[in-house]
Amino acid sequence: MYLADSRTTPDTPGTAGRAQRAGRRAAAVVPGTVLALGTVSLITDVSSEMVTAVLPLYLVTGLGLSPLGFGLLDGVYNGASALVRLVGGRLSDRRGGSHKTVAAVGYGLSAVCKPLLLLVHSLPLIGAVLAADRTGKGLRTAPRDALISLASEPASRGRAFGAHRAMDTAGALLGPLVAFLILRAAADGYDAVFIVSGCVAALGVLVLLLFVPGHHGGPRRTGAPTSRHETHVRGLLRRPEVRRLTACAVLLGLTTVSDSFLYLTLQRRLHLSESWFPLLPLGTAAAFLLLALPLGAVADRVGRRRLFLCGHLALLGAYGVLIVPAGGTPALACLVLVLHGSFYAATDGVLAAATADAVPEAVRGSGLAVVQTGQAAARFVCSIAFGAAWTAWGDRTALGAAAAGLAVCAAASVPLLRPAAPHTAQEDAR
C-alpha cells in the first residue's frame, strides 16, 4: 500500500526520479535477515540432503523394504510436517511474533533425529524417527518464511524468497556430494552419513541462535484489518486469495511424485550402481540453485501465480521424458534433472511469496502454514498412492498415471490462480 502512495506523492521530476532509482536499488538488495536465514538453511540442507540422498537405497536395498513400504515411509517423511505446520505458524504469530523461537525448536528437533537413524532398523521405529524429523521441519517452515516476508519489501518478495531458496539449494547441492564421498571412504558408510549429518544440523541451529534477529528490521507494513477469527484455519480460508491458493496447492500436490521415487525411476533407466545414486539429486539442486533467484525476480514482474503453474508444467515434462521408452542416456538424465530443478525454482519460494501477498502481517505465519499444510498433506497422499501403484503396475505405468493426473490438475488450477477481486491495495494481480 505504501508503495502505491509513494508513486502518487507530488514531487518535482528530479526528486521523483531519484526516489524511483532509490526504490529500485532497495528492491535489488537482499535484506540481512534473509541472508542469515539462507545461511541457516544452507547448513541445514547439507545435513538433510545427506540423509535424503542415501535413504531410498538404505531402506529398499539395505533393509529390503518393498516399494509400497517405502512409499509409506516416504509419505511419513514428506507428509508428517503437515500435521504440525499449523501449530508452528500459530505459535509464531503469538505475542507479537515468536518466529525465531519456534523456528529454533524445529531446527533443533530435526538435528536430534539424524543420529537416531543409527539405532532403529524396523519399519515402525524408522517411521517414528522420520516423523519426528519432519515434525521439526513442519514447526520451522512457516515461521522462517514469515521472517523472510516481513523483512522484505512487497514488490521484491519473489527476489527475497528466490535468494533464500538459492542458498538453501546450495546446501542441497553439497549434501548428496558429501554423502557420496562418505559412502566411498567409510567402511560403515550409512552410519557415518547419519553421524556427520547430525553434527552439521547442530551447527545450523547454532548459526540461527547467534545471527538471525528475533524480529525483522524493516518498517511495519499495514494490511487488511485482521479480526480474531482470522487467526484460525477457517477464518483464514474465508479470504478468497488464501482459499484459492490452498486449493491449487492441494490439487497440484496430489500429483507431485516425491523426489525419491523420481530418482529411483531414473536410476532404473540409467542402470546406476548404488554408490552413484546419491549424485542424482545434485542435478536437481544445481538447476534449482541457478534458477531460483532469476525466476523469483521474474515472478515479481510477470505474476507469482502464473509462474507457479508454469513450474508444474516443467515437472510434467520430466514425467514425460521418463515415460517415453528411450534408452537410459546421460542426456536423458540431464534433461529430467534440469526440468525437476526448474520445477522447484518456479514453485517453492514463489508460492510462499504469493501467499505472503494475500495474508495480513499479524497472521503471516498462520497463513503461510495453511497453504503449506494443504500442499504437504496432498504430497503425503501422493507418496502412498504412487508407492501402491508402483507395486501393482510397475514404475512406468504408475508414472504415466501421475502425469495424466498432473495435466488434469494443472488445467483445473487455471481458474483458481486468477486473482479474486482485491479487498486491499496490497493484494494485486500477482
Side-chain angles (χ1 to χ4, degrees), residues 77 99 101 115 120 146-147 152 157 168 212 239 275 325 346 402:
Y77 190 71
H99 304 103
T101 301
V120 295
L147 283 170
S152 56
R157 279 198 187 116
D168 181 272
V212 175
R239 302 179 67 87
S275 62

Side-chain angles (χ1 to χ4, degrees), residues 18-117:
R18 286 193 297 271
Q20 290 175 358
R21 288 191 294 272
R24 285 194 294 270
R25 286 195 299 270
V29 174
V30 178
T33 297
V34 177
L35 294 177
L37 285 167
T39 303
V40 174
S41 293
L42 188 155
I43 296 171
T44 303
D45 245 37
V46 171
S47 169
S48 298
E49 294 302 321
M50 286 174 62
V51 174
T52 301
V54 303
L55 196 62
L57 284 180
Y58 175 68
L59 296 175
V60 174
T61 303
L63 299 183
L65 290 181
S66 68
L68 177 57
F70 176 70
L72 290 171
L73 277 182
D74 190 66
V76 169
Y77 190 71
N78 291 291
S81 61
L83 301 177
V84 293
R85 290 196 187 203
L86 290 172
V87 176
R90 185 78 180 276
L91 289 175
S92 69
D93 287 332
R94 290 184 174 178
R95 296 185 299 275
S98 304
H99 304 103
K100 178 181 176 179
T101 301
V102 177
V105 172
Y107 280 109
L109 180 58
S110 293
V112 171
C113 289
K114 299 300 190 301
L116 288 180
L117 288 170

Side-chain angles (χ1 to χ4, degrees), residues 248-267:
C248 182
V250 168
L251 267 178
L252 296 172
L254 286 172
T255 51
T256 300
V257 174
S258 76
D259 298 356
S260 298
F261 275 126
L262 188 140
Y263 297 143
L264 284 172
T265 303
L266 187 56
Q267 185 219 16

Side-chain angles (χ1 to χ4, degrees), residues 139-305:
L139 284 175
R140 70 181 183 250
T141 299
R144 180 203 65 199
D145 285 350
L147 283 170
I148 295 171
S149 70
L150 293 170
S152 56
E153 302 293 338
S156 59
R157 279 198 187 116
R159 182 190 297 271
F161 276 100
H164 173 268
R165 289 334 193 238
M167 297 180 72
D168 181 272
T169 307
L173 189 65
L174 293 173
L177 181 60
V178 174
F180 170 74
L181 295 175
I182 292 174
L183 284 178
R184 294 182 69 87
D188 296 322
Y190 292 123
D191 291 351
V193 167
F194 297 149
I195 291 172
V196 174
S197 174
C199 294
V200 174
L203 175 62
V205 177
L206 184 63
V207 172
L208 172 72
L209 295 175
L210 293 179
F211 297 104
V212 175
H215 300 279
H216 68 93
R220 301 290 293 181
R221 299 178 181 87
T222 59
T226 306
S227 60
R228 185 172 181 177
H229 76 273
E230 284 188 311
T231 62
H232 300 283
V233 174
R234 283 182 295 181
L236 285 164
L237 289 176
R238 289 192 184 102
R239 302 179 67 87
E241 297 293 332
V242 177
R243 187 168 59 250
R244 285 166 174 256
L245 284 171
T246 303
C248 182
V250 168
L251 267 178
L252 296 172
L254 286 172
T255 51
T256 300
V257 174
S258 76
D259 298 356
S260 298
F261 275 126
L262 188 140
Y263 297 143
L264 284 172
T265 303
L266 187 56
Q267 185 219 16
R268 292 192 172 197
R269 297 286 182 276
L270 299 176
H271 306 289
L272 285 179
S273 66
E274 294 181 12
S275 62
W276 289 94
F277 180 83
L279 294 182
L280 289 179
L282 293 179
T284 296
F288 192 176
L289 174 64
L290 293 174
L291 295 174
L293 185 57
L295 288 182
V298 169
D300 289 335
R301 293 196 299 269
V302 306
R304 292 156 192 163
R305 295 180 178 88

